[in-house]
Structure formats: C-alpha cells, structure tokens
Amino acid sequence: GVRIEYDTFGKPDAPALLLIMGLGGQMIYWDEEFCAQLAASGHHVIRFDNRDVGLSTHFDHAGVPSSIDAKEARKGASSRIPYTLEDMADDAFGLLDALHIGRAHVFGTSMGGMIAQIMALSRPARLLSLISMSSSTGNPGLSFLKAEDPGVTVEPEPMEREANIDFTVRGLGMLAGRGFPFDEEGVRILVARAYDRAFYPEGRWRQLAAVIAAPSRKEALASLKIPTLVIHGDDDVLVPLAHGKDTAESIPDADLLVIAGMGHDLPRQVWPRIVSAVAAHTTRAGQLQSRSAQ
C-alpha cells in the first residue's frame, strides 16, 4: 500500500544504480546533473522519494512518535514507532521489483546509507554492490552532532514559505564542509523547489524515529561479501568521519574514500571525483561477479 515516486536517467539496459536519499530529503536533492553524470559513466540511475517525503506515501494517520518511543523501539518495542528502516529498505526492493530489476548497485547517503546497508544484509543476492556515503553503522560507541553541542542553535522550524526556506538554507550551510564554497544561491533554489513540490515536515520526524530505533549493524556487517565503497567527508560535523571509518572497517574488503573539506553535503566540486570512484567501483564489482559466475 506504499506509493513510491521515482524517475530514472540513462539507458535501461545499463547496470542499475539505485540512489537513496537521507533524512527528510526529497529525491530532487540528488541533483539532475549529478545523476546524468552517473548515467553517462555507464549506469541506469534511479532516484526516488522515500516514504513520508516528497510525492511518495505520507503516513498522516501514524502521528508523530516521541524520542522516548524511538528509544524504546531500539530496545525491541518496535510497535512504538510507525515503521522501521527495514520497512524503508523493503520499499526500495519493492521499487526494484516494480521496475523488473533483479539486482542493482545501491548508493545511499546519510540515512539512505543506513537503508542501503540493511538492504545488503537482508537480501545480499539482490545487490551488485554497496555504496555508503556520509553514513554510519549505528555503532553506539560513536557520537553524532547533538542539539546540546557547543555552537548549535536550536530554534523552531517556521512553516511559512520564505521563513522556512531561510531556516533550511541556514541549516544546510551549517552542515556544509569548509573545504568548498557554500553555494547559497543554488541551495536556496533547490530548497524552494522542494518546499513547493511537497512541504511535509511531519514525515521527517517519523523517519528520524526509525533511525533512532535502529539497532547497530556493526557486527552484522562483518558477514557481508558484497563489494563496498564507503565515501565520507573529513569535515562532516553531523556524522563525523569516525562513522565512515567504522563502516569501512566493519565490512570485509571495503574501500574508503575520504574527501578532504567535504561536510554532510555533496558540493558540485566533488562530483567528478565521486562519479569516477563510483564508476570504478561498479566496474570492479561487475568484473568480480563475472569471474564468480564462470
């Protein structure tokens, strides 16, 4: 009963590359030009709105869970939250099924990287490879940026269009890495487009509850035999680099690409490097698959 909005780039007969966006992010946060570059490097690129964001199904009936509900769900009381990251992973598999794609390279960023990891763990035969960017294993020994951390200003999110756009642009600017100029004008255009396309902040809180409730994947990831590329910026204040290193160390033979100066964002200046790394990774993964099949 979940409707998933999606679009595609590139030739349908090329190896599928499924892009999974992070918390509260609509699929348009995967820039069209970036997607086109990935397609030009030899992929059939698919981007989509996760449940509860953009034009995919909104869970209005579910209400907004509290942080206590999410923490209780992490202890095993999953009924305290509307859905889990596993449910969101099932959505992604459902989209691949609807597109008649048996196997795909899966590229997730932030929360999307967590969903991609769960996809790899739950149905490894469906993944050609895994790419986890700016994400985490959920290792409880590592910390994320918190509201009470020094320098963090907490203010209520305004609902009115212009005020909300200003608020969101400021927040994204805080998360951007200091190694590249922050494209405030371009980000403002994108944020305004997202607001007009589907402004729905309630869904973000339900997604956040699913993230908080998710148990650590660190030990389980040690069993993966899927070619994996981990990408992380060394100036990520929201999900610090330690999370990327932990992810790469947890997955056997994973490659780690650390991008100097990148934060919890995807600046245009790093696109060529990431596209090149992804293309090299998926090519190697395809070669490994061919050898194992012979």
Side-chain angles (χ1 to χ4, degrees):
V2 178
R3 179 180 183 275
I4 297 296
E5 182 77 11
Y6 75 95
D7 64 8
T8 65
F9 301 78
K11 298 178 180 178
D13 59 349
L17 176 62
L18 182 71
L19 306 181
I20 311 178
M21 184 40 68
L23 179 68
Q26 299 182 39
M27 70 180 191
I28 61 174
Y29 276 74
W30 293 108
D31 189 278
E32 284 91 344
E33 186 179 337
F34 178 70
C35 293
Q37 290 181 18
L38 287 170
S41 69
H43 304 98
H44 177 49
V45 177
I46 306 149
R47 62 176 185 171
F48 69 100
D49 287 327
N50 284 306
R51 63 168 63 191
D52 244 348
V53 71
L55 302 181
S56 289
T57 297
H58 295 172
F59 282 65
D60 302 285
H61 62 281
V64 178
S66 69
S67 59
I68 294 175
D69 290 334
K71 290 173 183 176
E72 287 299 314
R74 188 175 185 125
K75 298 175 185 176
S78 58
S79 61
R80 300 289 291 271
I81 59 172
Y83 52 79
T84 65
L85 292 184
E86 284 77 11
D87 294 322
M88 299 180 78
D90 285 342
D91 292 343
F93 281 125
L95 174 58
L96 293 177
D97 291 343
L99 297 175
H100 307 290
I101 296 172
R103 306 183 73 190
H105 301 284
V106 179
F107 181 177
T109 184
S110 196
M111 179 191 73
M114 302 175 191
I115 294 170
Q117 292 171 25
I118 290 170
M119 292 177 72
L121 290 169
S122 63
R123 306 186 208 178
R126 296 290 303 273
L127 269 69
L128 293 168
S129 77
L130 169 64
I131 305 159
S132 179
M133 183 170 75
S134 305
S135 194
S136 172
T137 66
N139 182 350
L142 299 176
S143 62
F144 296 86
L145 181 68
K146 301 181 180 64
E148 59 270 21
D149 286 345
V152 177
T153 302
V154 178
E155 56 180 300
E157 179 179 7
M159 299 296 105
E160 188 272 328
R161 183 181 186 276
E162 293 306 317
N164 186 273
I165 292 169
D166 289 341
F167 172 89
T168 304
V169 171
R170 284 198 305 274
L172 293 175
M174 289 175 56
L175 299 181
R178 292 166 292 182
F180 304 95
F182 179 60
D183 181 12
E184 182 172 345
E185 181 180 355
V187 170
R188 183 173 296 277
I189 292 171
L190 176 60
V191 169
R193 183 181 167 203
Y195 187 100
D196 295 337
R197 181 174 181 261
F199 177 60
Y200 188 66
E202 298 92 336
R204 186 189 320 126
W205 295 108
R206 288 189 285 269
Q207 289 185 351
L208 179 60
V211 171
I212 294 171
S216 172
R217 295 169 294 282
K218 182 174 176 62
E219 291 187 9
L221 288 170
S223 67
L224 277 189
K225 296 180 175 61
I226 297 171
T228 300
L229 172 64
V230 178
I231 305 171
H232 219 102
D234 70 356
D235 200 29
D236 191 332
V237 295
L238 181 61
V239 185
L241 177 58
H243 288 265
K245 291 181 176 179
D246 179 62
T247 304
E249 291 167 0
S250 300
I251 301 173
D253 301 318
D255 293 320
L256 173 63
L257 171 61
V258 177
I259 299 183
M262 187 174 88
H264 203 73
D265 60 346
L266 188 55
R268 180 179 293 270
Q269 294 87 341
V270 307
W271 292 359
R273 189 173 178 191
I274 289 179
V275 169
S276 177
V278 169
H281 166 72
T282 58
T283 298
R284 284 195 303 271
Q287 292 169 346
L288 289 172
Q289 298 287 345
S290 298
R291 289 192 201 116
S292 63
Q294 288 174 354

